[in-house]
Amino acid sequence: MARLLIQSEGFGNRAIELAMGVNRVGRDSDCEICLDHDTISSLHCELALTDNGVYLHDCNSTNGTFLNGEPALEAWLDAGQILKIGDVELLVESTTVTIAIPKIEVEAPKAPVILENGLNACSQHPEIQATFACTHCTETMCNRCVRVMRRQGGQPLYLCRVCSHKCERIGPVEVKKKKGFFGMLQDTVRLHFKHPRGD
């Protein structure tokens, strides 16, 4: 991480590590880097740590900001330079950004349980045939495990209980036999001639 070392007396060789983004430097205690010195303004300058390095911006300070002895209103910092804020000198030790990406352990999917009839079983109820499978994590579920989202005026949406992605039906699906013309006609006639009292 980008790091500055205070070389002026009275600071005990204090090291300053910059955080990503804008680091305000000044005498005010609200600043991310508070330097209590008479020659430093309440908000003296800003040190912005970016992917490209450290960028210095002077905030109209009273006693100025200097880089290697030269006045600097705005500048990119390099390692080894001397940054002077008021009368306080700092050595620029590093301007690099270190981003630690945590290692995420991904659990391997469990092998599907196969029933005696050769069909997949529910991962939570191995004795029950799975009727749904997740399109994302491949979790297999029975009707009890799958989450159902009712949609107004449309087909229900089946969601995975693990990752909440869409599920699809698997295995044999019971198909209702369609009624023929005479079957529908029989239902219609029965409805029209049914007694009002239900007798």
Side-chain angles (χ1 to χ4, degrees):
M1 192 61 77
R3 178 181 160 104
L4 307 174
L5 181 64
I6 303 178
Q7 295 186 321
S8 296
E9 292 183 5
F11 291 94
N13 291 327
R14 175 183 160 195
I16 297 170
E17 289 194 356
L18 301 180
M20 281 297 289
V22 176
N23 298 264
R24 295 171 300 166
V25 183
R27 202 171 65 250
D28 197 311
S29 59
D30 287 338
C31 292
E32 286 76 21
I33 302 170
C34 179
L35 299 176
D36 189 12
H37 197 273
D38 293 341
T39 62
I40 293 179
S41 301
S42 297
L43 175 58
H44 198 100
C45 65
E46 293 175 342
L47 297 172
L49 179 59
T50 71
D51 294 340
N52 298 319
V54 180
Y55 190 73
L56 164 70
H57 170 71
D58 183 84
C59 298
N60 298 318
S61 60
T62 304
N63 295 308
T65 305
F66 301 85
L67 198 55
N68 286 344
E70 297 293 327
L73 296 178
E74 294 187 353
W76 287 97
L77 302 186
D78 291 321
Q81 289 180 319
I82 299 295
L83 175 63
K84 190 176 179 184
I85 301 173
D87 287 342
V88 179
E89 287 191 354
L90 301 95
L91 171 66
V92 181
E93 282 193 345
S94 172
T95 59
T96 57
V97 180
T98 304
I99 300 174
I101 301 175
K103 187 178 180 182
I104 300 173
E105 297 289 339
V106 179
E107 190 175 326
K110 297 176 183 176
V113 178
I114 307 298
L115 297 173
E116 291 180 3
N117 59 7
L119 298 173
N120 287 345
C122 172
S123 59
Q124 292 299 305
H125 306 99
E127 71 282 1
I128 301 176
Q129 177 187 327
T131 50
F132 291 90
C134 178
T135 57
H136 181 73
C137 71
T138 69
E139 179 86 355
T140 55
M141 288 155 281
C142 63
N143 290 342
R144 287 161 52 187
C145 293
V146 72
R147 292 179 180 163
V148 183
M149 179 186 289
R150 305 286 177 190
R151 294 186 291 185
Q152 189 174 6
Q155 294 295 323
L157 185 64
Y158 300 100
L159 302 176
C160 176
R161 64 173 194 85
V162 176
C163 67
S164 298
H165 280 77
K166 183 182 175 184
C167 292
E168 292 181 346
R169 287 189 178 274
I170 58 172
V173 179
E174 184 180 341
V175 179
K176 291 184 180 178
K177 188 176 179 182
K178 289 186 177 180
K179 291 186 178 182
F181 173 75
F182 290 107
M184 290 191 304
L185 183 62
Q186 185 179 6
D187 289 345
T188 306
V189 171
R190 187 179 300 137
L191 288 172
H192 280 290
F193 291 99
K194 194 173 182 183
H195 194 281
R197 289 181 300 173
D199 295 336

